[in-house]
Amino acid sequence: MATNKYDVVVIGAGPGGYVAAIRAAQLGFNTAVVEREFLGGVCLNVGCIPSKAMISAGHFLHRIQHDADPMGIEVGAPKVNMSKLKNWKQSVCDKMSGGVGQLLKGNKVTILNGEARFKTVNELVVRGKDGEQTVQADHFVIATGSRPIEIPGFTPDENDVVTSTGALDFEEVPKHLVTIGGGYIGIEISSYLRKLGAEVTVLEAGKGLLVGAADPDCVKVVERKLKKSGVTVHTEAFAQSWKKQGKDIVVTAKVAGKEQTFKCDKVLLTVGRKPNSDEMNLSGVGIKIDERGFIKTNAQRKTNIPNIYAIGDICGQPMLAHKASHEGVLVAEVIAGQNRVYDARTVPAVIFTDPEIASAGWTEAECKANGYHDLKVGKFPFGANGRAVALRETDGFVKMIADAKTHRVLGVHIVGPEASNLISEAALAIEMGACVEDIALTIHPHPTLGETMMEAAEATLGHAIHTINKPISRPQANA
Ligand code: FAD
Ligand code: NAI
């Protein structure tokens, strides 16, 4: 068995792992990355990128159907060619994944194809197509990500019962989809499949959709539009079993305590994700994991074993690609002896629904839980923004929350067009400890959606120009 020795070996080439490997190589380490399936991980192959490609296609179709005619553009009835759409989506993923391969090679990172398993705290066995090899390193970074959770009675076969991976690769638009779980993945996929023509029923165990994932006022806007688009939502709904009935699938669920059945042709299971920590002999070499299998780390993303680090989904929530990448850079710099810790004030989050929801910082409830009881909250609607009106995308608002005493921005919650692109300004403001005046007094170009940020900041001060501020305060005339 061949043995290779490196300074740093990263396990998993997702947005956590490949970024860690590139940064380690930039810092002069002889680095290798071990990957068992695909460069770019879940994110570029079966997660963020393919889902956003499909969401773009659904949005484009919706725009043609609903916005072309009022804008005076006459098009015939559009048709969805699913196999062409699928090929296009795959070409986007391949381009991104191929790009990661080039970046790794360009930075002289060795790519080891195969599955890694710890033998000792300084040694891995990598099992690939061509056999096994032993790999030694001074430092290891575990970035092996996560996979879908299953529930009793619903073992995904990626045909009748699919996870997000199967749903992103449907040969045809389902006639009727039953989605189990109304969280991030369930709602993103249900939204675009509805746009592509599927009937959709969502069964969510909790009392509402996207609970805990976003500001409740933002969720209301999305929920309203989702229902208006024809998606049926059942809350307090627990799927129990399914069976084939001819060509149909019948799902049985308890909805608010009563048994109901739902006929469909595909079932999408999206009830959360669990860590890929069970196949690497972690406990065999003494790496501590919590009761759900997530690896425990400190603020430098060190595990309890001094030369082993862990980043990304394998460490738990928030399970987001940009957070994994941030940690990737961090661990490489820690290994290089830099005095770095994970001290981000906010991990911005986006839910790519229609309209998009994006947030940075705390909700009002979280501000209060963190001891900020006296708040200034300003809201500015997209309906009062010229660019949004010209785009025919006026649903939603920007909500800004600030500490009433210091005016420091504590949270920004956006539901509306391009919320995903607008939120970075809020994240920067929170990272820099900015006050609402910093945003309100920054000249924002016109006509842009970004002006809503400036006006939401003004609204917290009670003087946004393009909306009526409540209560209106007038200067007292001198007696
Ligand atoms: P992963 O991307 O999961 O990568 C881990 C890699 O490790 C994989 O390539 C795997 O093959 C490899 N691996 C595992 N075990 C081993 C082993 N023993 N040996 C070798 N290799 C191994 N996040 C966002 O921020 N924005 C989004 O829009 C978004 N959309 C999503 C949509 C969907 C449908 C899904 C499922 C997820 C989405 N996410 C999104 C979440 C995002 O994909 C993850 O947070 C991110 O991929 C985590 O990165 P990671 O590097 O920790 O792990
Ligand atoms: P999730 O945690 O977002 O949502 C799961 C939902 O399923 C919850 O609402 C939960 O109440 C519900 N549920 C649990 N058990 C159930 C049951 N038996 N029956 C019915 N409902 C049940 O998990 P999801 O959607 O699988 O996504 C996993 C993670 O992936 C997210 O937490 C997020 O970190 C990441 N992601 C991020 C995206 C983004 O950034 N835009 C997009 C997609 C995923």
Side-chain angles (χ1 to χ4, degrees):
M1 199 193 296
T3 300
N4 298 303
K5 170 94 194 341
Y6 298 89
D7 299 328
V8 179
V9 168
V10 181
I11 311 167
Y18 83 74
V19 169
I22 290 173
R23 187 70 189 115
Q26 286 174 344
L27 289 162
F29 293 112
N30 178 20
T31 306
V33 63
V34 189
E35 172 54 51
R36 68 180 178 190
E37 200 174 357
F38 30 38
L39 296 179
V42 167
C43 174
L44 300 193
N45 296 281
V46 291
C48 322
I49 297 300
S51 61
K52 267 75 257 183
M54 298 301 282
I55 286 167
S56 300
H59 191 60
F60 191 42
L61 176 65
H62 187 79
R63 296 277 281 159
I64 295 169
Q65 288 167 332
H66 296 270
D67 296 320
D69 188 63
M71 287 176 166
I73 297 162
E74 292 172 10
V75 283
K79 262 183 24 198
V80 178
N81 180 331
M82 198 61 173
S83 91
K84 224 167 161 178
L85 171 51
K86 219 180 104 167
N87 288 343
W88 170 74
K89 179 262 310 178
Q90 196 53 46
S91 73
V92 175
C93 296
D94 293 347
K95 190 171 167 53
M96 301 312 295
S97 176
V100 168
Q102 284 172 6
L103 286 170
L104 289 169
K105 282 181 198 138
N107 281 285
K108 305 209 171 357
V109 175
T110 304
I111 301 168
L112 303 169
N113 296 307
E115 187 158 52
R117 195 180 150 80
F118 279 98
K119 202 167 157 192
T120 69
V121 293
N122 294 105
E123 212 167 26
L124 291 178
V125 174
V126 177
R127 186 182 304 143
K129 270 204 317 275
D130 304 324
E132 284 187 0
Q133 59 177 306
T134 303
V135 177
Q136 293 175 346
D138 296 332
H139 307 275
F140 289 98
V141 179
I142 306 173
T144 50
S146 64
R147 63 180 187 273
I149 291 177
E150 294 175 16
I151 55 172
F154 290 86
T155 304
D157 59 2
E158 301 300 0
N159 181 34
D160 292 319
V161 178
V162 299
T163 64
S164 49
T165 301
L168 289 166
D169 221 26
F170 279 143
E171 297 291 339
E172 285 172 30
V173 178
K175 287 190 185 56
H176 192 154
L177 175 79
V178 166
T179 300
I180 304 174
Y184 266 85
I185 301 181
I187 298 307
E188 286 190 3
I189 294 181
S190 295
S191 301
Y192 81 71
L193 283 172
R194 175 69 198 129
K195 288 193 167 123
L196 296 179
E199 268 187 57
V200 180
T201 302
V202 177
L203 304 178
E204 161 58 46
K207 289 212 158 95
L209 298 180
L210 298 166
V211 171
D215 178 277
D217 289 344
C218 294
V219 174
K220 272 186 213 152
V221 175
V222 166
E223 197 167 344
R224 210 166 35 233
K225 202 160 176 192
L226 196 68
K227 287 180 180 165
K228 203 171 149 203
S229 78
V231 171
T232 307
V233 176
H234 295 279
T235 52
E236 296 181 73
F238 295 84
Q240 295 184 312
S241 61
W242 69 281
K243 62 175 185 216
K244 272 278 212 212
Q245 210 168 67
K247 279 189 177 163
D248 292 328
I249 292 171
V250 178
V251 173
T252 303
K254 270 233 162 95
V255 182
K258 282 199 192 130
E259 201 164 279
Q260 283 193 32
T261 54
F262 301 89
K263 223 184 234 181
C264 58
D265 56 339
K266 295 283 177 193
V267 179
L268 168 61
L269 187 65
T270 57
V271 294
R273 294 180 64 85
K274 64 179 179 184
N276 290 326
S277 58
D278 43 358
E279 297 154 351
M280 277 184 294
N281 191 31
L282 296 183
S283 51
V285 296
I287 298 170
K288 280 196 184 138
I289 54 175
D290 72 14
E291 61 289 348
R292 287 174 305 153
F294 293 108
I295 298 180
K296 293 181 180 175
T297 62
N298 69 8
Q300 292 194 311
R301 296 302 178 253
K302 281 183 184 164
T303 67
N304 59 306
I305 307 288
N307 66 318
I308 302 181
Y309 298 74
I311 57 172
D313 282 13
I314 192 80
C315 301
Q317 290 288 357
M319 292 196 200
L320 297 172
H322 41 282
K323 184 241 177 192
S325 297
H326 182 85
E327 292 175 326
V329 171
L330 174 94
V331 284
E333 295 181 353
V334 169
I335 291 169
Q338 295 183 18
N339 186 20
R340 289 226 32 213
V341 290
Y342 182 91
D343 58 359
R345 283 189 172 151
T346 178
V347 181
V350 178
I351 313 174
F352 292 82
T353 40
D354 182 8
E356 294 176 350
I357 300 178
S359 58
W362 292 327
T363 59
E364 284 133 297
E366 286 164 346
C367 287
K368 288 184 179 152
N370 282 285
Y372 291 88
H373 294 281
D374 199 5
L375 302 172
K376 279 187 176 291
V377 181
K379 236 180 176 183
F380 188 81
F382 280 97
N385 173 270
R387 188 65 188 280
V389 175
L391 285 166
R392 289 178 52 80
E393 302 231 25
T394 52
D395 289 329
F397 54 81
V398 176
K399 185 203 269 191
M400 199 168 288
I401 307 167
D403 176 18
K405 263 192 237 118
T406 61
H407 290 194
R408 252 179 67 178
V409 181
L410 299 176
V412 178
H413 306 276
I414 309 175
V415 58
E418 299 294 333
S420 54
N421 289 317
L422 295 173
I423 200 64
S424 296
E425 180 180 357
L428 180 67
I430 291 170
E431 281 301 332
M432 295 188 74
C435 298
V436 285
E437 286 83 349
D438 293 313
I439 299 174
L441 295 174
T442 298
I443 299 177
H444 285 64
H446 178 74
T448 62
L449 298 171
E451 288 172 285
T452 56
M453 289 286 289
M454 178 180 72
E455 296 236 34
E458 288 169 347
T460 61
L461 300 166
H463 58 71
I465 297 297
H466 296 95
T467 190
I468 305 299
N469 301 276
K470 289 182 227 166
I472 298 173
S473 56
R474 297 184 196 286
Q476 296 295 309
N478 283 338

